[in-house]
Amino acid sequence: MRHRLVGLAAAVLVGAVVAVPQAQAQRVDAVVEWYDVTAGVLAAAPAPTQVTNNRTWAISWLAAARAVRHGHDRAFTEAAVASAVHDSLVRLVPSRAAEVDSALATTLARIPSGAAKSRGVAAGSAQARRTLAEREGDGLDPASVNAPFPVPPAAPGVWQPTPPAYAPAIQYGNRSAKPFTLRRADQFRPSPPPALDSSRYQRDLAEVRDYGSVDSTVRTEAQTRIASFWYQGSQPAFVTPVRVALTESRASLADRVRLVAVYNVAAVDTQIATSDAKYAYQLWRPVTALRTGGLPSWTPLHVTPAHPDYPSGHATYAGVSEQVLTSLTGPRTRQPFDLNSPTAPGVVIQYQTWRDLSRDNINARVWSGIHTRIADEVGTDLGRTVGRHTLATFDRLLG
């Protein structure tokens, strides 16, 4: 609902812009405008796999970053951003073509006619075609992402489908997809998880047992709120924080386009790296470990997602977000900002530093009863590592 409202707000803003004088209309921020268009499209017509949605963001905004790289004229740059994102979205989410066409018409109507505007439109379209062609068949479509996973025989520590649905594993195919900047999916694969009989694993499992059960007597009300809040999908959870960074940034229009592109390219590569590690180690989830270990009726606060424990995907996503946003905008925002969540209606949490989002993601997955703390901490570190790599190598994608 929040994302639908964001899209609606963008549409209202667009309508208002058309009615005001040209000088005032020029104050519209084209980067935020098309960020909201992208968010609205993917909120209205999301793919069933989150990495596919991130792919749409990454392709659209990489095309825009390529198109504006050598542009200095404002008319050229705004037209290039609108054209690149428009053409990418129409191709990738054709069911929303009408609203994207309308948004493009609105943007172009306020840009003065001339050679710069025409060159911008042409550059955006050319880079959209180029980027879409490069990513054709990259293995990030829903069918490829959820390629069948042959479940191994049950054994101590080995992942098995989890209750209540005992659903087939998901995201197995991510590890075979084509990254944007990684050389290969296992480039930054973390070390194996601790042995089942190690003090670290036993301590972490006991923490999940006590704090993550549906009927826990030690988890506080505040901890339950955090767990429920961050039970939301990790990809949509960071749409608003990135927008906050975008609106607070004092960088040039081209640099802010680059911010959105870098972030989403890093997010795609992080999910590829995460699935590689998950299915390389195939560590069982806490619910399986606890029920096998003598607590047959133990139940987590939240339903366990259908893929292995180590590392945590939510935490990995938080880590890459923290790394990229800190590197591009600094460790904290000038003003605190509010976040809400579809999985915790009515709960609003205020943040000001990117690291605090990572902290709450790490804790939330333990308090939800669905991850060990080591899986969360290693996931956060993996995300930070992929984020640093993307920042260091992104310019090679611009070409």
Side-chain angles (χ1 to χ4, degrees):
M1 178 60 71
R2 177 175 179 83
H3 297 149
R4 292 180 189 273
L5 291 174
V6 168
L8 177 60
V12 171
L13 176 60
V14 166
V17 167
V18 173
V20 298
Q22 184 72 15
Q24 184 177 350
Q26 289 292 343
R27 290 200 294 268
V28 174
D29 186 329
V31 182
V32 175
E33 178 183 35
W34 279 90
Y35 187 92
D36 288 345
V37 170
T38 310
V41 164
L42 288 171
T49 46
Q50 69 174 9
V51 72
T52 308
N53 294 316
N54 255 139
R55 174 187 187 266
T56 298
W57 276 98
I59 289 174
S60 302
W61 286 83
L62 174 57
R66 286 169 162 175
V68 305
R69 186 181 185 195
H70 298 300
H72 302 291
D73 182 276
R74 184 180 182 89
F76 170 90
T77 305
E78 290 194 349
V81 171
S83 177
V85 178
H86 166 274
D87 288 14
S88 301
L89 290 177
V90 167
R91 169 77 176 276
L92 296 169
V93 194
S95 65
R96 312 306 297 183
E99 70 185 75
V100 182
D101 287 347
S102 177
L104 178 64
T106 299
T107 301
L108 295 181
R110 71 166 184 268
I111 301 173
S113 298
K117 177 179 178 178
S118 298
R119 289 198 308 271
V121 171
S125 292
Q127 293 301 338
R129 290 193 299 272
R130 169 192 173 190
T131 308
L132 286 161
E134 288 176 356
R135 299 304 301 181
E136 186 73 26
D138 60 7
L140 292 171
D141 59 285
S144 299
V145 167
N146 286 334
F149 171 66
V151 178
V158 177
W159 183 84
Q160 299 291 301
T162 50
Y166 297 94
I170 60 174
Q171 301 175 4
Y172 175 60
N174 276 355
R175 65 200 308 250
S176 300
K178 175 185 175 182
F180 279 87
T181 65
L182 296 177
R183 294 191 302 275
R184 59 185 190 277
D186 65 350
Q187 184 173 345
F188 298 112
R189 183 185 292 173
S191 300
L196 300 184
D197 59 356
S198 67
S199 60
R200 174 63 198 263
Y201 186 78
Q202 290 298 314
R203 182 173 70 248
D204 283 4
L205 190 61
E207 182 184 22
V208 179
R209 178 196 65 204
D210 296 340
Y211 284 86
S213 67
V214 68
D215 56 358
S216 172
T217 59
V218 295
R219 186 182 59 245
T220 67
E221 188 174 327
Q223 290 169 337
T224 301
R225 283 197 299 271
I226 291 290
S228 297
F229 187 94
W230 286 104
Y231 191 61
Q232 63 182 305
S234 49
Q235 186 274 322
F238 284 90
V239 169
T240 297
V242 176
R243 190 185 191 279
V244 170
L246 193 62
T247 56
E248 283 218 343
S249 173
R250 295 190 175 102
S252 68
L253 188 151
D255 284 343
R256 289 185 300 121
V257 171
R258 185 178 183 276
L259 183 158
V260 182
V262 170
Y263 175 81
N264 285 286
V265 163
V268 170
D269 281 6
T270 296
Q271 291 177 79
I272 292 172
T274 300
S275 290
D276 167 76
K278 280 181 176 291
Y279 287 101
Y281 297 123
Q282 300 179 22
L283 181 65
W284 61 8
R285 288 281 188 156
V287 63
T288 308
L290 291 168
R291 289 190 175 191
T292 302
L295 298 173
S297 62
W298 188 90
T299 301
L301 173 64
H302 293 122
V303 173
T304 301
H307 44 73
D309 180 51
Y310 182 92
S312 161
H314 267 65
T316 310
Y317 213 100
V320 74
S321 302
E322 176 195 328
Q323 183 66 46
V324 172
L325 295 178
T326 297
S327 296
L328 296 178
T329 67
R332 59 192 297 115
T333 57
R334 292 192 298 276
Q335 298 293 330
F337 62 93
D338 293 341
L339 286 183
N340 57 21
S341 167
T343 53
V347 176
V348 177
I349 301 180
Q350 192 171 81
Y351 291 99
Q352 193 167 8
T353 68
W354 309 125
R355 183 171 286 269
D356 286 349
L357 277 70
S358 297
R359 174 204 64 202
D360 282 359
N361 267 272
I362 289 171
N363 287 328
R365 309 308 272 179
V366 175
W367 298 335
S368 282
I370 57 181
H371 273 300
T372 53
R373 185 167 292 276
I374 186 66
D376 295 333
E377 292 176 349
V378 169
T380 304
D381 287 342
L382 176 59
R384 291 172 182 145
T385 299
V386 176
R388 286 192 294 270
H389 173 79
T390 304
L391 288 160
T393 59
F394 179 79
D395 283 351
R396 298 175 190 172
L397 292 178
L398 298 181

